[in-house]
Amino acid sequence: MTLEAKVWAKATLWTAAAAFTGFIAADPRVKLQQDLRQLPLRFIHSSNRSLASPFTRISLYGLVGIGAAIVHAGVLLALGVLMPLWAANPLAFLAASIAGYLGHARYTFKPETGGQRFARRWLVIQYVVNLSVCGVLPLVLPGAVPSVIRLGILVFTPTVLNALIWSKAARFSAKQRSQQQRPRVHADDLGLSEATNNAILQLAGIGKLDGASLLVQGPTASRGVEAWTALQAEQPDLELCLHLCLTEGPCSALASAIPDLVNPDGHLKLSFGTWLSLSLLPAMHPRRQRVTRQLHQEIQAQLARFRQLCGDDVPVHLDGHQHVHLVPIVHDCLLQVSGEQQITWMRSTTEPLPTGLDLRCWWDAIRQAGLLKWLVLEVLSRRAQGKQQRLGIASNGGFAGVLFTGQMAGQPLRAAHQTLSVLPTRANRTQPLLLAHPGAPLSRNLREAGFSVSQPFAASPWRQREWQALQEL
């Protein structure tokens, strides 16, 4: 153990304590001990109340800082005999970061944010800053700097940065909490089956849904619209959107007019991936031009069917089955007809990452490709938003339902709802949209109606879990 490491460890403890607490005295040790003895213990038990008093806030940050400094000093003393100072210090501060995480999450973050869970993104920032500063500072400080000043800089800089990070995290969360708005809860696939219709209509009837999207060629579309219209007579704010479907189900245009889009049974056959691949072809490519002409006919036919079911005089709000409306070749075609067809709103799937989720939830999102789907749709949504804005077509000001698609219940549903509630309002944007796919137990084979892609999804017990979760939301 070198003398320099021992001096550093000693300085870490007292400089960090002074930096966090703000106590200034001729003899820092004596003054610190006196103030700690006089610190009311009630501060420790105020974790469920706001830190209204500046002295309370400083003191709690100070206690956490002292604890982290003790950990830092202990680990530095232990590692100083095994490795150089520039290597030991980052590891020591990494250990102190964990102590700071636990302390701040319990005694400073929650009181300042009304009891919200700690967002792990701030822990990542804390680690990156601490490790970078503690590793680089010993190497870049000039050798001519006096030893005392050098130690003060090395200890004081990461300590202050650490306090600033946590203070910023708490204030950011508190600011978001003060800007809450209510997200609209929306269900897709009305008309897919009686099971789906029953769940959606029941939720809308008890005030748990704000809107739904209609598959105009779904086996039960007509019955679904009739029941929805009856609900709208009592709840005028209920919204019904066109759920543009291009990947499965019967076509709306004549099958002979769109041979590239359908199979021999007249069912739409191109997958989301195929539509995306077509979007990558040059605009003048013969296949793209041929498919675009047929796509235009199918879109016009589905819009006509929607108006036939819902009325001719209403502006169209539109989204896509499997979010196909965001694929460039499809979205461009929608924009071309938006004026004559009165398309005034299209769904955005720009989804902020929720906070407060267990690592298990994130692992599920990765394992089930939810994170990959989220990434693809983020790119497509951002492309679409700019084009829609230039034409005055509105969209939602936030979204949830891609990252954990098909499993919007429990923690993911609650976290998504909370995250959308604190999004700021934006011009030409409607309320944030929380998407789910509720359903009763499926009693028919959807493959017979051409919805082979939706069959396993609709038959999953997750449809009932989402139905129950929305009732309890």
Side-chain angles (χ1 to χ4, degrees):
M1 180 68 182
T2 65
L3 178 60
E4 185 182 9
K6 290 181 179 179
V7 173
W8 187 341
K10 199 173 186 180
T12 297
L13 176 58
W14 296 112
T15 307
F20 271 96
T21 58
F23 297 141
I24 305 297
D27 187 345
R29 293 194 192 185
V30 175
K31 179 62 177 173
L32 178 60
Q33 291 169 359
Q34 290 173 350
D35 283 315
L36 286 177
R37 284 196 298 268
Q38 296 169 2
L39 184 64
L41 292 177
R42 63 183 174 85
F43 294 146
I44 301 297
H45 302 289
S46 65
S47 59
N48 293 323
R49 299 191 296 272
S50 176
L51 302 182
S53 167
F55 180 65
T56 302
R57 188 172 186 273
I58 291 173
S59 299
L60 286 174
Y61 271 89
L63 287 176
V64 174
I66 292 169
I70 291 173
V71 173
H72 187 172
V75 174
L76 184 59
L77 286 168
L79 295 179
V81 297
L82 303 174
M83 59 185 68
L85 200 58
W86 61 266
N89 192 46
L91 294 176
F93 220 101
L94 181 61
S97 294
I98 297 174
Y101 162 74
L102 296 174
H104 283 299
R106 175 67 178 86
Y107 294 116
T108 64
F109 189 84
K110 283 188 177 181
E112 293 198 75
T113 59
Q116 289 185 359
R117 284 186 72 175
F118 169 71
R120 292 185 181 89
R121 67 190 65 172
W122 295 103
L123 179 61
V124 174
I125 295 174
Q126 182 190 22
Y127 280 169
V128 171
V129 171
N130 284 344
L131 291 175
S132 300
V133 171
C134 292
V136 172
L137 271 182
L139 301 176
V140 301
L141 283 176
V145 176
S147 179
V148 174
I149 297 177
R150 178 185 179 86
L151 290 176
I153 292 174
L154 291 173
V155 173
F156 184 78
T157 302
T159 299
V160 170
L161 288 173
N162 196 33
L164 291 175
I165 290 169
W166 277 95
S167 180
K168 177 66 175 177
R171 291 178 182 274
F172 176 79
S173 181
K175 181 180 179 181
Q176 282 192 320
R177 191 163 54 96
S178 67
Q179 300 175 338
Q180 288 196 355
Q181 60 176 320
R182 178 183 173 275
R184 293 180 63 85
V185 182
H186 194 92
D188 274 358
D189 298 340
L190 183 69
L192 179 63
S193 67
E194 289 293 348
T196 304
N197 285 4
N198 290 341
I200 291 176
L201 293 168
Q202 186 268 345
L203 289 168
I206 62 174
K208 295 296 184 178
L209 273 186
D210 300 294
S213 294
L214 175 68
L215 282 165
V216 294
Q217 291 299 90
T220 60
S222 296
R223 292 192 294 275
V225 171
E226 290 176 7
W228 188 267
T229 302
L231 285 174
Q232 280 182 317
E234 301 177 358
Q235 305 177 52
D237 290 337
L238 286 177
E239 180 183 51
L240 190 61
C241 302
L242 168 60
H243 201 45
L244 181 69
C245 183
L246 299 171
T247 55
E248 62 176 341
C251 59
S252 294
L254 290 174
S256 58
I258 54 171
D260 290 287
L261 308 190
V262 297
N263 62 21
D265 296 323
H267 296 156
L268 295 161
K269 67 178 183 179
L270 302 185
S271 67
F272 182 96
T274 302
W275 283 111
L276 198 58
S277 299
L278 286 167
S279 301
L280 299 177
L281 293 176
M284 302 304 294
H285 192 282
R287 189 188 179 200
R288 174 163 180 163
Q289 290 185 325
R290 185 174 68 251
V291 168
T292 299
R293 287 193 296 269
Q294 297 177 28
L295 170 63
H296 184 86
Q297 293 188 56
E298 177 62 23
I299 287 176
Q300 293 280 27
Q302 290 196 29
L303 284 164
R305 175 61 176 161
F306 181 76
R307 293 192 182 282
Q308 180 185 7
L309 291 170
C310 303
D312 292 329
D313 56 346
V314 293
V316 176
H317 289 192
L318 183 145
D319 52 55
H321 190 51
Q322 300 173 345
H323 310 291
V324 73
H325 68 293
L326 294 172
V327 175
I329 190 173
V330 178
H331 190 260
D332 291 346
C333 189
L334 288 169
L335 294 181
Q336 290 174 12
V337 303
S338 61
E340 63 179 278
Q341 291 289 351
Q342 293 183 281
I343 300 175
T344 59
W345 182 95
M346 283 196 277
R347 179 192 291 170
S348 165
T349 60
T350 301
E351 181 173 2
L353 296 177
T355 60
L357 288 173
D358 291 341
L359 293 178
R360 172 185 55 82
C361 295
W362 290 111
W363 171 243
D364 289 343
I366 295 172
R367 183 170 52 87
Q368 296 170 13
L371 195 59
L372 177 61
K373 185 177 180 181
W374 173 86
L375 182 60
V376 172
L377 288 173
E378 282 291 302
V379 174
L380 296 181
S381 272
R382 294 185 186 280
R383 174 194 180 274
Q385 284 171 14
K387 296 194 169 202
Q388 288 178 205
Q389 287 176 357
R390 286 192 288 273
L391 293 178
I393 300 174
S395 62
N396 45 299
F399 178 83
V402 167
L403 193 60
F404 298 100
T405 184
Q407 298 186 359
M408 290 295 286
Q411 272 195 40
L413 178 65
R414 292 191 297 271
H417 191 275
Q418 174 61 32
T419 300
L420 294 182
S421 297
V422 298
L423 292 179
T425 57
R426 300 174 61 184
N428 202 33
R429 300 293 178 89
T430 58
Q431 291 166 266
L433 196 70
L434 192 156
L435 177 65
H437 296 82
L442 191 64
S443 59
R444 65 174 296 171
N445 186 349
L446 296 176
R447 292 186 177 90
E448 297 173 356
F451 288 90
S452 57
V453 177
S454 290
Q455 170 64 34
F457 186 84
S460 168
W462 274 102
R463 304 288 66 74
Q464 290 87 69
R465 294 179 195 173
E466 290 195 13
W467 185 12
Q468 181 65 34
L470 290 177
Q471 294 179 66
E472 298 170 353
L473 186 63

